Amino acid sequence: DDSQIEELKSDIHTSSSVRDVIEGDELSLIEDWHYLAILSLAKIKDAKFSSEWVSERLGIPLDLAQSSLVQLLERGLIENCDGTLVRKSKPLTTSLDIPSSSIVEHHQQSIEKSLVALEDVEVEFRDYTAVTYAFDLSKMKEAKKCILDFHRKLGKLVETESAQDVYRLNIHLFPLAKVTSKENSENVNS
């Protein structure tokens, strides 16, 4: 019934500060971008538990939408509530600064999606910003914390119960110049 669906969705929205850490074999869940997109689709108004609907909304093949729904359902991350797609999981995160081929693949796919959107999405529906800094490597941990705080704050602003679409935020902080000395690279973890 509708009140049960709204209650389930409300629980996810109000508990967004608590996150489940995924590690090891579970990381395969985030390797392909569409799994997290489906989890976010489950939070929007009028989300349908339908591979046709998911395929249409994300622009993915029907068989991929179907198999992804099955995998997410089997892992207990979503639920079919009378034809409505409902997210059961808390927001997911990975452990920080731990190398993983699944995380690398995820970021590569995300960058590829971003490049397509740069060409295909009208400017009023996207934002691309870049800035170049002279960078004090001893501030790296603090910079990463600022980025994390920002994306969580933005999530709280835009992930409301009346959300009607799914967006991806990519933030990249990387050197444009080679680190010139071992001493400089050691400052990163200071």
Side-chain angles (χ1 to χ4, degrees):
D1 99 333
D2 287 346
S3 64
Q4 180 186 17
I5 293 168
E6 291 309 312
E7 183 179 325
L8 286 169
K9 287 187 174 188
S10 178
D11 287 347
I12 293 300
H13 287 289
T14 57
S15 66
S16 63
S17 62
V18 179
R19 297 178 178 274
D20 283 337
V21 177
I22 56 175
E23 302 173 298
D25 292 340
E26 294 176 325
L27 286 172
S28 65
L29 174 68
I30 66 152
E31 188 169 304
D32 292 315
W33 67 272
H34 59 272
Y35 290 108
L36 293 179
I38 292 169
L39 290 175
S40 290
L41 274 177
K43 294 167 66 176
I44 69 173
K45 190 176 176 94
D46 302 323
K48 295 178 179 69
F49 194 95
S50 155
S51 51
E52 292 83 5
W53 184 80
V54 169
S55 172
E56 176 69 27
R57 289 302 307 262
L58 297 180
I60 61 175
L62 185 59
D63 61 334
L64 181 59
Q66 176 62 36
S67 65
S68 299
L69 284 171
V70 167
Q71 287 183 25
L72 292 170
L73 190 62
E74 287 174 351
R75 290 181 185 216
L77 299 174
I78 59 171
E79 181 176 313
N80 182 353
C81 195
D82 296 324
T84 299
L85 177 61
V86 176
R87 181 175 177 157
K88 297 292 296 175
S89 70
K90 298 175 195 167
L92 303 175
T93 190
T94 61
S95 44
L96 300 175
D97 291 334
I98 307 245
S100 160
S101 61
S102 292
I103 293 172
V104 169
E105 175 64 25
H106 174 81
H107 286 299
Q108 288 173 338
Q109 289 181 17
S110 192
I111 291 167
E112 289 168 11
K113 297 291 290 176
S114 176
L115 291 172
V116 170
L118 183 59
E119 295 286 334
D120 293 352
V121 176
E122 297 178 35
V123 293
E124 59 266 22
F125 297 108
R126 63 173 171 80
D127 182 67
Y128 285 71
T129 306
V131 63
T132 304
Y133 302 104
F135 201 90
D136 179 348
L137 289 176
S138 70
K139 303 291 184 184
M140 181 59 80
K141 280 187 178 179
E142 192 174 345
K144 288 182 178 186
K145 183 178 180 334
C146 287
I147 291 168
L148 183 64
D149 290 346
F150 167 72
H151 83 69
R152 289 192 174 158
K153 183 177 178 181
L154 183 63
K156 287 180 182 177
L157 173 71
V158 301
E159 283 197 314
T160 67
E161 290 182 26
S162 59
Q164 61 276 73
D165 217 331
V166 175
Y167 270 62
R168 175 68 185 202
L169 173 67
N170 293 334
I171 300 174
H172 311 278
L173 178 64
F174 59 92
L176 291 176
K178 291 182 180 180
V179 176
T180 57
S181 72
K182 185 170 170 57
E183 178 182 306
N184 285 347
S185 64
E186 288 171 354
N187 287 336
V188 170
N189 297 320
S190 302

